Each structure stands twice: as C-alpha cells, then as structure tokens.
Amino acid sequence: MIFKYNNIQIELVQGDITKQSDITAIVNAANAELLPGGGVAGAIHRAAGQELEMESHPLAPVKPGEAVITKGYNLANEFVIHCLGPVYGLDKPEDKLLAACYQNALQLADEKNIESIAFPAISTGAFGFPIKLAAEISLKAIREMMDKLKQVKTIRMVLFADHDLDIYAQEAKKVFN
Ligand code: ADP
C-alpha cells in the first residue's frame, strides 16, 4: 500500500526489516544498551555482524525517544538508525516518546542526506505497545515530519505480521487521505 504526500512516498509492507535491500537506512527497535537482544534488534545485529555491536554499544546508553546512527556493515543497507522506544506503561508520556522516535530518526536521516528509510513497528513487541495505538501515533508523527523533510523521499513501514499490516493500513487511510 502506497500513499504520497509532499513529494514523499510512504509505503506499508509486510516483511522482515533485515530484507529491505533497496533502502538506504533501516531503523532498529533498539534497547538502551544498543546490544543485540531479541526481536528486531537481534535480527538486525545477526544480519549486520559483530562490527555493528562494536560501533553501536559505545554510543549507549540512549534514552527513550532518542535515535543514533551507525553503518550497516553486512546488511544491504548503508546505515542503521537505532531508536529506543518507550516501554508501554512505564516510560511516560509514552505517546510523545514513541512519536519522538520516528521524528528523531527522520530528522537524522534528513541531516545525513538519506533518501529512503524503513521502520519496524517500534515498541509493539517486547515493549508492549498496543499495535493500533502505535500505528496511529507513529503515522501521525511521520505525517507531521513530512512538512520538514528535504532529502528523505521514501518512508517504508515494515510490519512483521499480516494482521499488523491491516491495522497500519486502516490508520494510514485516516492519516494520509
Ligand atoms: P520493542 O522492544 O521495541 O517492542 P521488538 O523487536 O520486540 O521491539 O518488536 C517490535 C515489532 O517488530 C513487533 O511488532 C515485532 O513483531 C516486529 N518484528 C520482530 N522481528 C521483526 C523483523 N525481523 N522485521 C520486522 N519486524 C519485526
């Protein structure tokens, strides 16, 4: 599913964040220590190789909402942007912190002249954010940033489960149409 706004394309796909070979920067749903761990972070570190951890770990700790950038090493992507999402029910205000993840990642991408970026559904796994609420917050945060971006031309949301893609598609119709 594709939407266009302000010369920027937003794509919603089902898939694996480590398999987005046509994208310049992928976003990691990171942990505070910027270590491999499980879920998205585990998959990205496995695919990138140990050099990723050697670059990322010294940049830790990061706070919820923050984003830092590293190279992509063995990934097909030039960069990884690591974002720490809020733990639902713990890091407050969780809506603003989740929005900040997306906005800080996009800002960083724009500063680095990155034209394409792919996000997983940050905080919706181990961090427990309800998927529908996360979809609404993240798509609105992306939409707000689209007025400010100068370099980023493609923003892809990569949902792991078909059901999650359906939920994001429903929310995207409200936000982008
Ligand atoms: P968090 O700790 O921020 O909640 P997780 O990695 O536990 O991050 O999960 C975030 C979301 O990413 C979940 O919806 C999960 O299903 C999904 N996910 C897990 N592995 C992958 C992957 N390889 N590619 C894309 N999405 C993934």
Side-chain angles (χ1 to χ4, degrees):
M1 182 167 281
I2 294 176
F3 298 86
K4 281 212 165 118
Y5 175 77
N6 225 9
N7 253 345
I8 301 173
Q9 179 154 302
I10 169 126
E11 305 172 357
L12 307 179
V13 303
Q14 187 279 324
D16 182 329
I17 193 72
T18 65
K19 303 273 160 62
Q20 309 302 314
S21 57
D22 57 334
I23 292 283
T24 306
I26 60 168
V27 175
N28 181 15
N31 46 66
E33 291 306 316
L34 301 175
L35 287 170
V40 167
I44 287 179
H45 279 271
R46 266 195 306 280
Q50 228 192 339
E51 279 172 306
L52 178 63
E53 181 180 335
M54 286 162 63
E55 185 181 354
S56 64
H57 186 48
L59 305 174
V62 289
K63 296 195 194 79
E66 282 182 356
V68 299
I69 190 164
T70 65
K71 295 198 277 290
Y73 299 98
N74 295 338
L75 285 159
N77 320 95
E78 203 175 334
F79 300 103
V80 178
I81 297 178
H82 307 256
C83 291
L84 177 62
V87 177
Y88 191 71
L90 191 72
D91 297 316
K92 308 272 182 184
E94 50 230 327
D95 55 342
K96 292 209 167 50
L97 292 172
L98 187 61
C101 282
Y102 286 87
Q103 296 188 330
N104 287 330
L106 287 169
Q107 169 90 41
L108 202 49
D110 218 46
E111 283 167 15
K112 299 278 179 190
N113 294 330
I114 290 168
E115 290 202 352
S116 57
I117 179 168
F119 287 92
I122 297 169
S123 285
T124 66
F127 286 0
F129 225 98
I131 189 87
K132 190 168 185 306
L133 187 57
E136 184 190 336
I137 293 167
S138 50
L139 292 169
K140 279 185 181 161
I142 290 171
R143 162 74 181 72
E144 260 178 47
M145 277 303 283
M146 283 167 139
D147 289 326
K148 298 177 191 150
L149 297 172
K150 296 197 166 56
Q151 306 298 334
V152 176
K153 297 287 174 243
T154 302
I155 302 170
R156 182 178 297 165
M157 281 297 317
V158 181
L159 290 318
F160 212 33
D162 282 334
H163 179 63
D164 293 348
L165 174 61
D166 293 343
I167 292 169
Y168 270 72
Q170 274 178 24
E171 291 302 316
K173 280 181 200 151
K174 292 185 212 158
V175 175
F176 294 104
N177 282 339

